[in-house]
Amino acid sequence: MPKIVYVPLDERPCNYRYPQYLASMTDLTLEVPDIGLLGRKKTPADTGAVRDWLTGAAEGADSLIVSIDMLVHGGIVPSRLHHTSEDVCKERLGVLAELKRSNPRLRIYAFNLITRVPAYSSSEEEPDYYADYGNEIYTYGWLTDKAEQERLDEAETAKLASVTAAIPTEVLSDFLTRRGTNAFVNRETMKLVRDGVIDFLIIPLDDNSKYGFSPMEQRKLSLLAEELDLGDKIMIYPGADEIGCTLFARAFCEAKGYVPKAFVRYSSVHGPFVVPKYEDRSLGESIKSHLTAAGAVAHDNSCGTDFILMTNSPPVGQKEMAECSTPYGQRHRSYFSETNTREFVQAIRHYVREGHLVALADVAVSNGSDHPFMKLVSRAGLLHDIAAYAAWNTSGNTMGTVVSHAVIESYYRGREGDSAERLNRSRAYYYFRLIEDWGYQAIVRKDVIHNELPKLGASYYELTHVQDEVYAVIRAKLEQFFAEYVQEGCPGRVRIEDVHLPWSRMFEVGFDVALEQ
């Protein structure tokens, strides 16, 4: 039984638990560090302890999936806060070469983010000064990059001068120094690919945009990849918290010698050409990246395909694209004229009846499911015929999550010897996705924030003093959601357990799902 060692990006369920769910529906073993080793939010993991654990776990392993941000900085948020020197970063990277020397057959799949630059002013996951100067720093990067690529008009030139003057010199210096160190780590990681230490590398663009610091760094890294002649071993595209799942799917495909074919179908004719919010390229280009990174290939029609990726796509992009929380009546007019969800649901029914494995990527809105659309799917009686689903946070987060599940499930579909137990774990994960992405993100989160937290004397970030009460309310509302929208036709009883808020805020939720036949 192949053994894969996994060093996650951080301790949140999306990074720590989701790849474990995927592994549980395969015959591969995934070994992860104890969650206590991984730090918490702004508190970095003990990188020395992570290194020691990794050194022991990798003995005799077949593959390693490793977050460089965790290995070097102790997690995703600490990578935005550190003051680590380049020499120390390089020393921490050195463990990968040591592992390769001691186990030459070890396949190493690595990922390291291009650090994000949020457009808003908040220090929740950024340095303290980002609460005061976040938007200015973002605007400075956007206009500086645009000035290099195009000409700024008079208003933009004045704006650049204004924001530059508004950011204290020491703040901008700190920000740029850290980004410089992180860019150095990406370059050194690419050199490990050149040296044969890392076999495949993803450099995800975390919450990026058309212009700014992230695209500037992306261009430099793309040029370096070409200079090092590594175009077949390095991918750079929008994403972050889903990459652990993507690389597990890739390792699975390589272990099985499997190259799944996927046909992509959109709900809007504009879908593949729209640039989603928080990303820098068209949805169609991003989907090709997610499929390729996971070991799959885009198929040109539905005949002979291994799975169909039904993509509920936005008809409009960037700032005009709706958030999950946007009231339906306030969505951009294109949502009412340039997408046809009724036809799309009919197409899902058609593909299911033809015996295709259908995966549903619900990316029409950001940060949760498209609730009106999902009600149509539910009322059509199709929920229990879909094999994989996702709709959380960014388009990239959703795509990598649903594609990885579909890749694995398509391998086992109809295969002789496939067990009811394995299928049960796969279905439990599917219901988990419905409950989190649709139930929590689209419905329950907003309900609890506006209607329940005030009763408890709590708020979005201030709730630890009534933590157990909040958890109980969330669980009850998730159960109510499931009963109303999903339960009918469900092949068993679904139990929701261990509800918690990993970072003591309402944005992300953690829980377990058990499917009892």
Side-chain angles (χ1 to χ4, degrees), residues 138-157 160 209-213 215-216 219:
Y138 169 83
T139 304
Y140 173 86
W142 171 282
L143 292 173
T144 300
D145 185 28
K146 187 176 182 182
E148 290 185 9
Q149 302 303 309
E150 305 173 14
R151 297 182 66 177
L152 300 182
D153 60 28
E154 186 175 335
E156 290 171 327
T157 301
L160 178 56
S209 54
K210 182 178 180 181
Y211 300 109
F213 291 109
M216 279 193 279
R219 290 193 297 273

Side-chain angles (χ1 to χ4, degrees), residues 170-234:
E170 63 273 16
V171 166
L172 189 58
S173 175
D174 176 82
F175 183 81
L176 295 177
T177 298
R178 185 174 300 107
R179 290 197 71 86
T181 301
N182 291 356
F184 167 81
V185 171
N186 262 323
R187 293 193 299 271
E188 290 300 306
T189 304
M190 293 172 71
K191 292 175 184 177
L192 290 178
V193 180
R194 176 201 62 190
D195 297 340
V197 173
I198 294 173
D199 297 280
F200 184 74
L201 172 67
I202 297 177
I203 302 177
L205 290 148
D206 185 13
D207 286 4
N208 67 110
S209 54
K210 182 178 180 181
Y211 300 109
F213 291 109
S214 293
M216 279 193 279
E217 290 171 25
Q218 177 192 191
R219 290 193 297 273
K220 293 176 182 178
L221 293 174
S222 296
L223 290 173
L224 179 58
E226 175 61 24
E227 179 183 322
L228 298 176
D229 197 19
L230 298 174
D232 58 335
K233 295 181 179 180
I234 297 175

Side-chain angles (χ1 to χ4, degrees), residues 262-263 265 302 305-310 351 356-360:
F263 174 63
R265 170 75 147 77
S302 62
T305 194
D306 292 298
F307 67 92
I308 295 178
L309 183 62
M310 299 297 288
Y351 288 127
H356 290 283
L357 187 149
V358 172
L360 178 55

